[in-house]
Amino acid sequence: MAETNPKKTFLRESSGLVREFGILDALWFNIALLGLLFSTYYVASTGPLVGGSPILGLILPFVGFALVGIVFSYVGSQVPRVAADYVYVSRKLHPALGFVGNAGYFLATVLLFMGITGITLQTFGLIPLLVIIGYYTHNLSLISLGATIDSNPYLIMGIGAVEIVIMSLIPIFGNKAYRAFQWVAIPLALIAAIGMIIVEAVVPQSLAIHRLNNFALVYANVSNLYANVSSSNAPVPAYYNIYNILSLNPVFVVGFSYIINTIYIAGEVRNPKRSMPFSILGTLVISGFIFTAALALEYFQLGYGFTSKMMYLSIVQGTLPIPTPYLDLLEGVASGNIVIGVLFALASIVQLLMYLSAASFVGSRLLLSYAMDRIMPDFVGDVSEKRHVPIKALILSMIIG
């Protein structure tokens, strides 16, 4: 009697990838794709527009994402494969559900956010760096260059396109090179985030406002920015209003939406039962603290009303005479120290460059998982025997991004 083969769960027994990521590598990977400083600047600049208490606004999103984190940690532990959620849903429920849900993540991470990061690298990083150096060294040419880039969206996108291509290629050189970059970029981002929070906490309001006024005088020849902003008719949302607090929830949700990234490299993580919950829930705790502290102390340092009006004039009306006051620029000026100011701006650049590499990395693993199920052509699933990475999928991910 002929022997029948049991139905295979996978069309290919092995992906060809190697488990090279330790527990801290997994945490750094998760924080990189969360875009720690990007998300912090988003919360600190958007929060004042909707108002509400940062601590009260944090509660519901934190609890909700803790539950999400537990679920994804379980899935990654039970199915320690590349794109574990895709594998789990497609095998347990239906292949179409697995692909549609996972492909949405791919499009958001690679197609959308790589492009956005190519823009915010300039607005969050390069422009503040040029302006901060120019301000402290009295170099008006650097300030003018920053202002020129800030006012030219085509130049911003052109620079971003070059950055995307270059940084997307780093994972091609193997996980060792990629992990080495992580070990520079993410600790630097954490140091900068904590540094900005410390500056917010220790620089008194009067001194912070004095330094901001002086910066506006040098940058735009505006003699009293604080008085101009405070006397404007820009709206100030209520702090303890329940509607505003609930409106703050989605702001935190955007920041937390990428806490589950390590599930996509579960096939390359050592000891996934330990690394999955540590990296996912650890990212939630770290980011929750940084987001909330950054926003709450921004109000403490500059005043709730002034901060709300300043962000409204800058982001909604576009009439603030200085560059968009993201946290690295604000605290670089408030610190009164060029070294600290440059550190904040440089850390922003490095962390955003890290995101581009991480997005290309994770995008290639998703394409690899589709190729293993013959949704994508077989060549997309080719893995280099020397470097243990899917080079063709990485190049395709870079082109899409």
Side-chain angles (χ1 to χ4, degrees), residues 70-93:
I70 291 169
V71 171
F72 275 82
S73 297
Y74 171 79
V75 171
S77 301
Q78 293 299 306
V79 188
R81 305 274 301 199
V82 172
D85 65 330
Y86 161 72
V87 173
Y88 186 88
V89 174
S90 62
R91 272 57 173 181
K92 297 287 186 181
L93 299 177

Side-chain angles (χ1 to χ4, degrees), residues 101-116:
N102 199 257
Y105 173 89
F106 176 86
L107 292 174
T109 303
V110 178
L111 186 61
L112 178 62
F113 282 110
M114 283 184 75
I116 291 174

